[in-house]
Amino acid sequence: MELDYQANLTTLIASENNGSGKSTLSIWALFFALFGKAYKKGAKIASLVNSKSNKDCVVELEFETLGSKWLVRRGYKPAIFEIFKDDKLIDNESANKDMQAFLQSIIGMDDAAFSNIVALGVDRFVPFVEMKPDQRREFVEQMLDMVIISHMNAKTKEKQKAIKAQLSQVDYDNSMLDSKLKGRERTLGILIDRRDKRLSETGSELHSQEIEADKLRGMISGAVLKIANWESSIDNEAATKLSNINVMSMRFKNKIDELNRTASSITELTDCPQCKQCVTLDHKKSISEITQENIDKLVDPMQRLYEEKEKITAIINKNDGIRENIRKANELKHSLEIKLSGIDSAISSIKARMVDSNEDALIKVENEEIVSIQEAIAEKDKQIIELNKAESKHNQLLQILKDDGIKANIVSQYLPYLNQNINHMLDQLNLYIQINIDSEFNVSIFAPDRKGQTLENLSTGQIRRVDLTCMLAWRNIAKNKSSVDCNVLILDEILENLSSSGVDEFMEMWQTIEKDTNLFVVSQRELEFEQYFDNKIKYKLVNDMTVEV
């Protein structure tokens, strides 16, 4: 079946009996196409499916907005959800929830707003005066196009929450880094103290060993100097001289011995062995005297040689003493050198211990880690500064976006017009009270003859007049202010609470305030209502199927 919402300015939808499908076709199918749910609260989508066929529930809705032609096709058994823009299917790869949000952004309202200003039925319509405070705020935000502000506020709160979470995380990271830094600094301190203690202990030991080594070097140098002096004082020719003296003394001795033997032999000689003549005493005496003279000539040289020998012997003995001293000095020097070598080895070992490559490597690692942690902390500090700036900016933005900020400013500009419009229409409906909606969206009434009365004191028909005027006033504001604008208004049994005169007054007022909006009224009061409408659609059930009469 097909229903054209633009064919006539006013259309009455009636039926022969209740349950013939007039609400289903005029509102429920429309609501299902746009929002994918049943119009009646608590009802399931399955209730939309024809109970006889139990399948092939498909609704196609065509409309124009945002400069384009749109087609929404939604079905149940089988499940279908397609959106066409200017005859082109929009990609439906994303989740249906995202597509639903996209569709609502196109029509500019959610299901609650749609049920309160476009398709009003007793199952979903909540009059403004009966809305809870949070419902009124949501409704007003859509009527005044302030949803974007709420979205911005929500997004800003999300970002603010994320910033706070980031700040908390960065603070936690910083505390962990600070704890890690302190731990590293303690470890470094322990390593440095251990190194300094070791260097102090080994330094004292090294100093002591170096003093001892210097002392030994001094002693060795002294020994070397003494040995050199002693060696230079030795007469190395004394032995040769003594040997020569001994040779000469032996010659002299041999000569003397030879002369003594000659003298002795002549004394004992009687005849000359060669001439056989008798050797006289005088001759013997003469020869003895000559021999003695020769011997005496040798005595002085012999004495001088003896004296020289004694001198040379004294020199040799002195040389032996010096050599003994040199030997002892060399022994001492050797022992000192051995001791010095041991001390030098000890000094090398101490120096090796002073340069502990493993300990130095550990200190280097700790220093590098500390620098790395300090750099990380500095980076975190920068992040905190930037996050604090961002938090401050978001706080300022939240102050602007909250209800008493820019929203209150916008609302304050429209409230006078809203109240004036409502009261003007109430006058047209012959209900002479003054309605006032304040900045908190509280509704109060005033009338000279109704002092102290509230909305609860009004009759059902009077309350319905207030409901209708509030709804129409908000539609008028939305039409002129926001993207929440629709040229269709459907009232499903909404006028049932009005008397005949009330309906007459409403329809008379409608003709004056709405020139380009198509009104659909669903009612069982067909005979009473039909005089006010340009067109009438009537349904009935035939074999459990809705058909147009």
Side-chain angles (χ1 to χ4, degrees), residues 391-450:
E391 184 180 31
S392 177
K393 290 180 180 179
H394 281 78
N395 282 334
Q396 294 173 7
L397 186 56
L398 285 174
Q399 289 296 318
I400 296 172
L401 295 175
K402 67 180 185 177
D403 290 343
D404 59 356
I406 190 172
K407 288 183 184 179
N409 185 40
I410 294 173
V411 169
S412 66
Q413 296 178 31
Y414 285 92
L415 280 178
Y417 174 75
L418 175 69
N419 288 321
Q420 181 182 358
N421 200 3
I422 291 172
N423 291 317
H424 175 68
M425 285 188 286
L426 285 174
D427 288 345
Q428 290 181 290
L429 295 178
N430 293 319
L431 181 58
Y432 300 105
I433 62 172
Q434 293 291 311
I435 291 290
N436 182 66
I437 300 176
D438 64 20
S439 60
E440 295 297 321
F441 310 120
N442 298 311
V443 182
S444 60
I445 66 172
F446 171 78
D449 58 340
R450 295 175 179 268

Side-chain angles (χ1 to χ4, degrees), residues 154-354:
K155 288 291 184 182
T156 303
K157 286 181 178 179
E158 288 179 8
K159 290 180 180 179
Q160 188 76 315
K161 184 178 180 181
I163 289 171
K164 288 183 181 294
Q166 282 183 278
L167 273 172
S168 177
Q169 183 61 48
V170 173
D171 284 337
Y172 174 76
D173 292 343
N174 244 359
S175 64
M176 295 300 292
L177 287 171
D178 186 61
S179 177
K180 189 176 180 181
L181 178 63
K182 289 178 180 177
R184 291 290 185 176
E185 287 175 340
R186 283 195 298 271
T187 301
L188 179 63
I190 291 171
L191 289 172
I192 291 175
D193 289 343
R194 185 191 302 168
R195 182 195 64 185
D196 291 345
K197 182 179 179 181
R198 176 176 53 77
L199 290 177
S200 176
E201 292 173 352
T202 53
S204 298
E205 185 181 356
L206 178 64
H207 181 67
S208 175
Q209 292 288 2
E210 285 178 340
I211 289 175
E212 184 65 20
D214 289 342
K215 180 180 177 182
L216 289 174
R217 290 189 184 91
M219 294 174 67
I220 292 171
S221 295
V224 170
L225 182 61
K226 284 182 179 181
I227 290 170
N229 289 335
W230 282 334
E231 286 179 344
S232 64
S233 65
I234 292 175
D235 186 352
N236 292 318
E237 296 181 356
T240 302
K241 290 179 180 179
L242 181 61
S243 177
N244 291 335
I245 287 172
N246 286 333
V247 170
M248 291 180 66
S249 293
M250 183 59 68
R251 288 177 181 174
F252 279 119
K253 181 177 180 302
N254 290 337
K255 186 67 176 176
I256 290 171
D257 288 345
E258 182 181 353
L259 289 174
N260 284 327
R261 282 195 302 272
T262 300
S264 177
S265 62
I266 289 175
T267 299
E268 294 176 0
L269 189 65
T270 57
D271 294 324
C272 175
Q274 298 204 5
C275 64
K276 305 299 186 176
Q277 291 181 6
C278 179
V279 180
T280 65
L281 291 172
D282 290 336
H283 185 69
K284 288 183 179 182
K285 183 178 179 180
S286 174
I287 292 173
S288 295
E289 289 176 351
I290 292 171
T291 302
Q292 188 60 45
E293 287 178 1
N294 289 331
I295 290 172
D296 290 341
K297 289 180 180 179
L298 294 173
V299 170
D300 287 339
M302 280 286 291
Q303 184 61 35
R304 288 196 296 274
L305 284 175
Y306 178 76
E307 292 175 354
E308 185 66 21
K309 182 177 180 181
E310 286 184 344
K311 290 180 180 179
I312 296 301
T313 300
I315 290 171
I316 289 173
N317 290 336
K318 181 180 178 181
N319 284 345
D320 290 341
I322 292 172
R323 288 190 177 91
E324 181 63 18
N325 289 337
I326 289 173
R327 184 187 65 77
K328 291 179 179 179
N330 278 323
E331 287 180 354
L332 176 62
K333 172 176 169 288
H334 182 65
S335 66
L336 291 175
E337 287 174 342
I338 292 173
K339 190 173 182 180
L340 178 61
S341 176
I343 291 175
D344 285 339
S345 296
I347 289 173
S348 297
S349 177
I350 292 169
K351 287 181 177 180
R353 279 188 286 125
M354 290 179 74

Side-chain angles (χ1 to χ4, degrees), residues 1-2 13-17 19-22 25 50 537-549:
M1 298 185 69
E2 182 175 313
I13 299 179
S15 64
E16 291 185 351
N17 295 295
S20 297
K22 55 185 182 297
L25 291 171
N50 184 276
I537 301 174
K538 191 173 182 178
Y539 298 107
K540 68 176 182 177
L541 285 178
V542 176
N543 297 325
D544 293 328
M545 301 290 288
T546 299
V547 296
E548 186 175 344
V549 177

Side-chain angles (χ1 to χ4, degrees), residues 71-131:
L71 167 63
V72 177
R73 180 183 292 122
R74 197 189 295 262
Y76 182 75
K77 290 187 177 182
I80 302 170
F81 185 24
E82 296 174 335
I83 301 175
F84 293 82
K85 178 182 179 182
D86 297 326
D87 299 324
K88 292 183 179 179
L89 177 65
I90 293 176
D91 182 17
N92 193 23
E93 291 183 0
S94 57
N96 280 353
K97 185 177 180 181
D98 294 334
M99 289 294 288
Q100 183 60 45
F102 172 69
L103 178 56
Q104 290 181 197
S105 70
I106 293 171
I107 63 176
M109 65 188 91
D110 60 13
D111 59 318
F114 186 81
S115 301
N116 289 324
I117 66 167
V118 177
L120 285 62
V122 291
D123 295 313
R124 271 188 177 267
F125 174 52
V126 181
F128 184 79
V129 297
E130 295 179 14
M131 292 180 182

